[in-house]
Amino acid sequence: MKYLKQAVYSIVLISLVVFPLTAFSAPKAKDKIVVGMSRPLSGWMAQIGDSAFRPVYETWVKEVNAQGGIFVKAYNKKLPIELKIYDDKSDVGTMTRLTEKLILQDKVDFLWPACGTAFLFAQAPIANKYNKILLSAEGGATSIRDMIASLPYLFIPLSFSDWYQLPVLADLLADKGAKTAYIISMADLFGIEYTGVAGIELPKKGINIVGMKSVPPDIKDLSSILKEAQATKADALLVLAYPDAVILATKQCMELGYNPKVFLGGPGVNFGFYHAIFGPATDGVLGFSMASKKTSPAMKTLFEKLYKGKPEAVHDYWGHPLYWAALEFWKQAIEKAGTLDNKKIRDVMAKETFNTILGPTRFVKGFLDKESHTGEIGQWQKGEFEVVGPKNKATAPMIYPKPNWPAPKPEKK
């Protein structure tokens, strides 16, 4: 035994001489931060992905890399960001497989999100399983609140139904004297959630829901449902669905000469492509929003940065400010943690407040704090998507009732 101990000591001593102690503790050399994403580059979600998070991350990464990247103390240098993106074809199953591939095979340093609420529900447990921070983008859900305690690596910047869009909408409608509403919703998690929250928040303010219809995401004709809604003479028509259905509802309302006092569509109305399609006819249409060009000088600068020289179709007044702020927040968390260790960065993100495009910004139990929000409800007014609620963050007063759509063209004889 004596000789065995001497042999072990000798091996350890030789190792320390040949490999200095620092070699065991210092991180391996690194020349970039690899961020992996499974995104809808094709399929039915591609339009949302291309108009929502994509313009933000493409602009933001280019800007950060032009500055040399993100400073990471553990490496004592700035590291540029490299994106590794797969096409999930707008399919949840494909997205989950690609997410695990990014983590296990590609060994990316960080995950950035898939697109959509249902995708968020599927991706968050995977990220949490492997202790990877998941900073979400186009997705938010009240129902995930019940799970958030078990998903400490999930951070959700996007506002959603009761965080605090529909409570603010109910306040605005009640303040204007609306008494009744008809709801068309998409038959998926998004539609179910928003309808459920509307069913709570609107009656609280004395607004009676006089009709409700759920429709498939790929519906091609809403005319019969719109005629039913028109017959109720409801003050407000809420189309709680994705852009294709919102655009279809708008077109067919015009064709039918159906002019409710309030038309809210979302997501969809908040994008520039909605205004590009309907032009001045968008006046008075409501949607979900976070900021307008008037919110702050910094926000105006951001919009110019994102949109100058680009088609109006890429504008987004709901998600873009939030996604940009989230990336600013994430970068500062890495710099403060001084490492690429996801657990240490997660701990910083969970407790710190950083200044972003929104002002002082923080997350509370995984959700962007209400006080960090710069708006909830927007309205098209003369070509600008203004914040109209809550009132203390509005950039313009709400127009009520909405101006009528252009008169339908007479049928050719």
Side-chain angles (χ1 to χ4, degrees), residues 15-139:
S15 298
L16 290 174
V17 171
V18 176
F19 305 104
L21 188 60
T22 52
F24 292 99
S25 58
K28 293 180 181 177
K30 199 166 181 62
D31 58 5
K32 60 190 174 185
I33 297 171
V34 182
V35 175
M37 280 189 284
S38 174
R39 297 286 300 172
L41 304 181
S42 62
W44 69 281
M45 291 288 287
Q47 183 185 34
I48 293 180
D50 287 347
S51 300
F53 188 39
R54 184 172 183 171
V56 170
Y57 70 70
E58 287 183 341
T59 304
W60 190 83
V61 168
K62 184 178 179 181
E63 182 174 290
V64 170
N65 283 349
Q67 298 165 359
I70 300 175
F71 181 77
V72 183
K73 186 177 179 181
Y75 302 98
N76 195 32
K77 64 180 179 180
K78 287 185 174 182
L79 298 176
I81 298 169
E82 178 182 285
L83 298 179
K84 190 174 191 64
I85 305 173
Y86 293 128
D87 181 10
D88 63 27
K89 301 179 175 18
S90 302
D91 177 73
V92 173
T94 302
M95 182 278 296
T96 59
R97 288 193 294 276
L98 291 174
T99 297
E100 291 214 281
K101 182 178 187 301
L102 286 163
I103 297 171
L104 299 177
Q105 294 183 28
D106 300 323
K107 300 187 184 304
V108 297
D109 296 303
F110 295 98
L111 279 180
W112 281 358
C115 177
T117 298
F119 289 72
L120 173 62
F121 265 80
Q123 192 175 41
I126 299 173
N128 198 70
K129 175 182 175 182
Y130 296 107
N131 295 343
K132 286 290 185 185
I133 295 166
L134 181 61
L135 191 63
S136 70
E138 312 99 326

Side-chain angles (χ1 to χ4, degrees), residues 295-296 298-299 321 324-326 328-329 332 353-362 368 371-374:
T295 294
S296 68
M299 196 65 73
W324 188 276
E328 289 182 324
F329 189 94
Q332 292 176 79
T353 298
F354 294 116
N355 281 320
T356 73
I357 190 70
L358 304 175
T361 303
R362 68 171 186 153
L368 186 73
E371 298 305 316
S372 302
H373 292 199
T374 54

